Amino acid sequence: LDALWRDLRFALRVLGRAPVFTVTAVLTLAVVIGANAAVFSLADHVLLRPLPYPHPDELAVVEANISGAGTQYENDSVNGRMWEAVRDHISSADAGLSSGEMGSGVNIVVGGAAAFVQQLRVSAGFFHALGVLPRIGREFTRDEDRPGGPAVVILSDRLWREDFHGAPNILGQSVLLRGEPYQVVGVMPPGFRSPGVDADVWTPLRPTPTGEGAGTNYGLFIRRHDDATWPQVNADLEALPPPALFDGVGRIPDGGRAWLSARPMQDDLVQDERAPLVALMGAVVLVLLIACVNLAALLLARGSSRTKEIATRLA
């Protein structure tokens, strides 16, 4: 420790004699290390941190696939026929459906005051499949999630606290959403966020195989049962009859095949950000290496100019 203390004092004296070099070196290292820390923190948050749901490894997005004769089609959006097939015939997983990865902005009127909020339309069983149920009230029922069903809404905890002032009698109250009355049936826990969408209100999707449901306009995910495996779930998905499911989605080539498959939700949510983040991580690491090499070269040059001094000190 005594030798370390002497070396430290000597290093500080040497750095103090060349303030310009010292400031340049310290600022260079500070900038490149700060950039690396920021990018790696972002990568950890986006790519590595698990999804904020119970047992996130049991969640997967259902994709539609067509292959054959040089055709390769993959889409993580499904139509209403695919949803009904998965919901009614896949016994190894629970399914949930939403109106896609993007919500929509709507006006909500509370106590005569209007606010602009993000709305997401979801199916009955959506929150159950995610593993997060409302902290107050309940989620949507199958009767509410059908064409012509009752107009009901679930609120986020933030909206409930800020606009409804945390009213304990919130259940059963009526709010105007898009100018139409909706009855509040639930409030989600604090910090809850739908996959890929930061919504304030959730309303029934009421999916059908016609109209909106005739195209691939829905986002479908599943939660694997504890007693099932992913190969079993994928086998169940592939066993669904494809021709009827893929009507209007894409032409199945002669000798080709069409099927549904499960892809881990974590991979699906970050697929657009993975490549740019990896490239950015590589870039900042390269900048750090360049800075270290340049500083090492400068230190070597400074050391060669002190050869006689160091020889005298060693003697």
Side-chain angles (χ1 to χ4, degrees), residues 2-301:
D2 183 61
L4 177 63
W5 174 243
R6 288 199 304 269
D7 290 342
L8 180 61
R9 286 189 301 171
F10 176 66
L12 292 176
R13 286 201 304 270
V14 172
L15 292 176
R17 291 172 189 167
V20 175
F21 171 80
T22 301
V23 171
T24 302
V26 170
L27 287 180
T28 300
L29 288 176
V31 170
V32 295
I33 292 175
N36 275 267
V39 172
F40 285 131
S41 297
L42 180 62
D44 170 68
H45 182 76
V46 176
L47 302 179
L48 304 178
R49 194 169 299 179
L51 297 174
Y53 309 114
H55 307 291
D57 57 309
E58 297 179 354
L59 292 170
V61 172
V62 175
E63 292 184 331
N65 305 270
I66 299 177
S67 68
T71 300
Q72 187 64 40
Y73 171 88
E74 295 179 357
N75 193 354
D76 59 0
S77 297
V78 301
N79 58 31
R81 292 182 296 276
M82 296 174 183
W83 155 247
E84 291 179 350
V86 172
R87 180 194 63 189
D88 298 336
H89 300 290
I90 301 299
S91 59
S92 55
D94 296 321
L97 193 71
S98 69
S99 55
E101 294 184 355
M102 299 300 294
S104 58
V106 297
N107 288 322
I108 184 173
V109 179
V110 181
F116 187 74
V117 298
Q118 289 296 316
Q119 175 196 20
L120 183 65
R121 296 180 296 130
V122 300
S123 69
F126 176 87
F127 300 105
H128 172 74
L130 277 180
V132 183
L133 296 177
R135 62 170 296 191
I136 301 176
R138 58 171 177 82
E139 66 173 323
F140 304 129
T141 64
R142 290 282 292 269
D143 183 63
E144 294 165 342
D145 189 36
R146 60 172 177 80
V152 291
V153 62
I154 294 176
L155 309 177
S156 69
D157 180 80
R158 183 198 63 80
L159 184 65
W160 173 59
R161 292 184 182 279
E162 294 181 2
D163 290 54
F164 293 86
H165 309 291
N169 59 340
I170 185 64
L171 298 182
Q173 288 193 24
S174 180
V175 299
L176 289 179
L177 199 62
R178 296 182 184 270
E180 300 178 359
Y182 280 74
Q183 184 182 33
V184 178
V185 297
V187 177
M188 295 305 296
F192 172 79
R193 188 175 187 271
S194 300
V197 181
D198 193 10
D200 301 295
V201 295
W202 295 265
T203 55
L205 177 59
R206 297 166 182 165
T208 63
T210 58
E212 179 188 37
T216 53
N217 298 308
Y218 299 143
L220 172 59
F221 73 94
I222 55 177
R223 175 179 286 276
R224 172 177 57 85
H225 291 167
D226 293 337
D227 57 351
T229 63
W230 283 121
Q232 177 184 348
V233 173
N234 276 297
D236 292 343
L237 290 172
E238 292 184 23
L240 296 174
L245 301 182
F246 283 78
D247 286 347
V249 175
R251 188 182 70 85
I252 303 176
D254 295 336
R257 59 189 294 257
W259 74 100
L260 299 180
S261 63
R263 180 181 183 181
M265 182 180 288
Q266 178 89 25
D267 294 345
D268 183 77
L269 291 177
V270 302
Q271 62 178 341
D272 295 332
E273 292 82 9
R274 184 181 299 278
L277 271 178
V278 170
L280 187 59
M281 290 169 60
V284 295
V285 169
L286 183 60
V287 171
L288 176 61
L289 291 176
I290 293 173
C292 291
V293 169
N294 287 336
L295 288 178
L298 289 175
L299 289 171
L300 286 174

